[in-house]
Amino acid sequence: MDRFYWLDEDQGAATQHGGHVDAAHRWGLPGLLKCPTCEKSWAAAGHYYPGVDLAPLGEMEREFRKARQEPFDEFARLRAMVLPLAPPGAVLPPGTTFGPLVGRCSGQLPDFTWVVDELLLHRRVLDGLQSGGVRGLEAFPTELRSRQKTPPDLVEVQLAHRGQLHPDCIPDEVAPPCTTCGRFGLKRPDEPILDASSLPSDLDLFRVGNFATMVICTERFLDAVSKVGGDGLAWRELPVRARTATTCASTSAP
């Protein structure tokens, strides 16, 4: 069985370099003011699509430029406009963002630079990973201004949502996702476990589908990183568990 790792920022490398990125995506769906079913106000993290261009919407793209909250019907109207432009199967919860990161960067940045849970790479690192056989790696240009004489050429990785946390690490008291807005009120488990049946066989870097701020990689990805020699990453191997018949029965119950 393949081995899978939870990626995070190497705080030591970030501190050592001392650089900083202050940026946001050009477009985004509004947050939800109040769901008519679960009555929660929320916006998701971990749903970023730098490769999705909303310019084809014409003048309507202005509706996606201002961060705000909207009632569910208005959110649903805006999401329906974007869905044809998004990757197949994209869920697009409230707060999903699109287009390039626009803003500023300063100082020296690690080879793998994190903006909260968004992963940026220097282009030479991207080239090295792709040459090293990393599968399914998509990255798109940023629009970051810099006063440096030789500004970094940074790209943002667009990650698919393909894996799932195993039900064994989800507390029984956590309610299933809302049937209207999709909100899943789960706090990140202290000891995450990956669901074996959900893990992709064609990607070496992806997000957990039911906890999207978690970035997961394969051993193949880390092997490629070691050859590139980049800094800025920390990782922790996660256990992978198959679902038993009992687990499947309990998770399929209404």
Side-chain angles (χ1 to χ4, degrees):
M1 180 180 292
D2 291 337
R3 301 169 72 179
F4 293 86
Y5 301 81
W6 174 14
L7 288 184
D8 205 347
E9 181 178 24
D10 181 346
Q11 296 285 349
T15 300
Q16 181 179 2
H17 285 274
H20 180 67
V21 176
D22 182 12
H25 292 101
R26 175 165 291 148
W27 300 289
L29 286 173
L32 189 58
L33 184 61
K34 184 178 181 180
C35 174
T37 300
C38 69
E39 300 186 339
K40 298 294 185 181
S41 300
W42 67 289
H47 294 263
Y48 317 112
Y49 294 94
V52 173
D53 182 6
L54 301 192
L57 297 178
E59 292 186 1
M60 299 299 292
E61 62 87 19
R62 297 177 183 175
E63 297 196 50
F64 300 90
R65 287 195 176 249
K66 184 179 180 180
R68 62 195 187 280
Q69 290 184 315
E70 294 285 0
F72 181 77
D73 288 348
E74 175 63 4
F75 160 74
R77 181 186 74 86
L78 294 170
R79 178 171 59 182
M81 292 172 58
V82 176
L83 271 173
L85 303 175
V91 178
L92 309 187
T96 300
T97 57
F98 311 97
L101 272 177
V102 180
R104 298 181 179 181
C105 65
S106 60
Q108 298 301 311
L109 297 168
D111 297 309
F112 296 86
T113 296
W114 295 83
V115 182
V116 189
D117 63 322
E118 298 175 64
L119 184 56
L120 310 184
L121 311 176
H122 293 258
R123 187 173 293 278
R124 57 177 175 75
V125 176
L126 173 66
D127 293 342
L129 294 176
Q130 290 177 329
S131 297
V134 173
R135 298 169 298 181
L137 190 60
E138 285 190 293
F140 297 89
T142 60
E143 295 184 8
L144 299 176
R145 302 184 302 277
S146 173
R147 295 183 178 180
Q148 299 178 57
K149 184 176 181 180
T150 305
D153 186 4
L154 293 172
V155 295
E156 181 182 359
V157 179
Q158 180 168 291
L159 299 174
H161 301 76
R162 293 281 297 275
Q164 298 279 319
L165 292 179
H166 193 281
D168 286 354
C169 68
I170 299 175
D172 292 338
E173 62 270 19
V174 175
C178 175
T179 56
T180 298
C181 70
R183 182 182 182 273
F184 188 30
L186 174 67
K187 294 183 178 180
R188 187 173 64 204
D190 293 333
E191 299 297 331
I193 303 169
L194 297 176
D195 182 352
S197 63
S198 72
L199 297 171
S201 59
D202 58 342
L203 296 176
D204 290 312
L205 193 65
F206 55 93
R207 291 186 181 274
V208 176
N210 57 355
F211 208 96
T213 57
M214 291 182 66
V215 177
I216 306 298
C217 75
T218 64
E219 195 166 15
R220 179 197 297 261
F221 177 84
L222 291 182
D223 287 344
V225 169
S226 68
K227 295 173 183 176
V228 172
D231 63 353
L233 291 180
W235 56 87
R236 164 186 168 187
E237 185 173 2
L238 292 183
V240 176
R241 186 174 300 173
R243 295 198 186 202
T244 63
T246 302
T247 300
C248 293
S250 64
T251 56
S252 63

